[in-house]
Amino acid sequence: MLHINMVIGKLNREIALVRRHIGILRILEDRGPLGILKLSHITRMNPAHVRYSLRVLQQSSFLEPTAKGAKINRKALSFIKNLKNGKTKLIALLNKI
């Protein structure tokens, strides 16, 4: 049988990870191309966590590498713009539980 605390714990961890990725996207949107160390300093996150988030975002085609660090692209800007709609849909889905 599925234990509800395990499910909620996993969901919380996934939400925290998505929040981290989105936070990095927003910083890159505001401050332009940045490298791992600068992002780590700004976010006060472990550089390994920043590196992982950048890798995930790059695999999602949201980032372009530059000599100055990661830079967001049009796809990322569109994603950021549509976040509110996505959150509304997620809340509606959770309310059905």
Side-chain angles (χ1 to χ4, degrees), residues 27 31 34-45:
I27 291 168
R31 299 190 182 192
L34 296 170
I36 292 169
L37 294 179
K38 185 68 173 177
L39 278 167
S40 179
H41 176 73
I42 292 167
T43 61
R44 296 185 178 136
M45 280 192 263

Side-chain angles (χ1 to χ4, degrees), residues 1 24 32 34 37 40 43 56 60-61 63-66 80 82-84 87-88 90 93 96:
M1 184 191 308
I24 287 176
L34 296 170
L37 294 179
S40 179
T43 61
V56 168
S60 298
S61 301
L63 300 179
E64 297 173 12
T66 71
I80 292 168
N82 293 309
L83 269 177
K84 186 174 183 178
K87 287 190 283 189
T88 301
L90 182 58
L93 178 65
K96 290 181 181 182

Side-chain angles (χ1 to χ4, degrees), residues 14 17-19 23 30 33-34 45 60 63 67 73-74 85 91:
E14 290 298 319
L17 191 56
V18 169
R19 284 183 67 209
D30 292 340
L34 296 170
M45 280 192 263
S60 298
L63 300 179
N73 58 25
R74 288 183 185 159
N85 186 37
I91 290 167

